[in-house]
Amino acid sequence: MFIKKFMSMLLLTATISMTVAVPGYAAIKTTDANSYKWSKTGSEWKVVDGSGNPATGFISYNDQIYYLDKNGIMKTGWIKSSGSWYYLNDNGTLAQDKWIDNYYVDESGKMTKIQ
């Protein structure tokens, strides 16, 4: 009984640590890929959650990170979120650990240095 309770607490602590340890993002919603529905109208991609509501903010989908505005529209280019700048590639994925023009985005995707 003690071991089972100890393992549960250890797992809970690890889960909390992993959630808190993600730097740079205001909040990333990680959901099973099947619970998002993507649709394209013209050149815009829109994402809704399993309840049909627009998905918003940073989301993780198929091991990639995307940013969706308040209407669930996938953004590209430079965006400002929670006081920091991020760059989203032409396919909507978050740029990480690379130079974009004269700006460097770190492993969390946040702009950190100017060349």
Side-chain angles (χ1 to χ4, degrees):
M1 176 86 166
F2 172 76
I3 292 175
K4 189 174 184 180
K5 197 175 241 185
F6 175 76
M7 292 303 286
S8 294
M9 286 300 292
L10 186 62
L11 180 60
L12 176 62
T13 303
T15 303
I16 291 169
S17 297
M18 288 183 346
T19 303
V20 174
V22 179
Y25 312 107
I28 297 180
K29 300 169 188 98
T30 306
T31 309
D32 176 21
N34 294 326
S35 65
Y36 288 123
K37 181 179 177 194
W38 293 69
S39 61
K40 188 172 184 180
T41 303
S43 62
E44 291 185 329
W45 282 96
K46 183 174 183 174
V47 183
V48 296
D49 63 19
S51 301
N53 299 314
T56 60
F58 287 103
I59 66 164
S60 177
Y61 178 80
N62 287 344
D63 297 324
Q64 295 291 329
I65 298 171
Y66 298 87
Y67 183 82
L68 310 166
D69 70 12
K70 65 181 180 178
N71 297 314
I73 304 298
M74 182 186 74
K75 304 307 283 180
T76 60
W78 288 103
I79 61 149
K80 190 172 187 179
S81 176
S82 299
S84 297
W85 286 94
Y86 300 87
Y87 186 81
L88 301 155
N89 297 305
D90 290 341
N91 66 357
T93 59
L94 180 68
Q96 297 171 287
D97 195 25
K98 66 189 276 186
W99 286 94
I100 308 291
D101 300 321
N102 290 331
Y103 303 97
Y104 180 75
V105 293
D106 65 15
E107 64 279 349
S108 71
K110 185 191 293 187
M111 180 177 44
T112 59
K113 301 175 189 172
I114 299 176
Q115 189 176 26

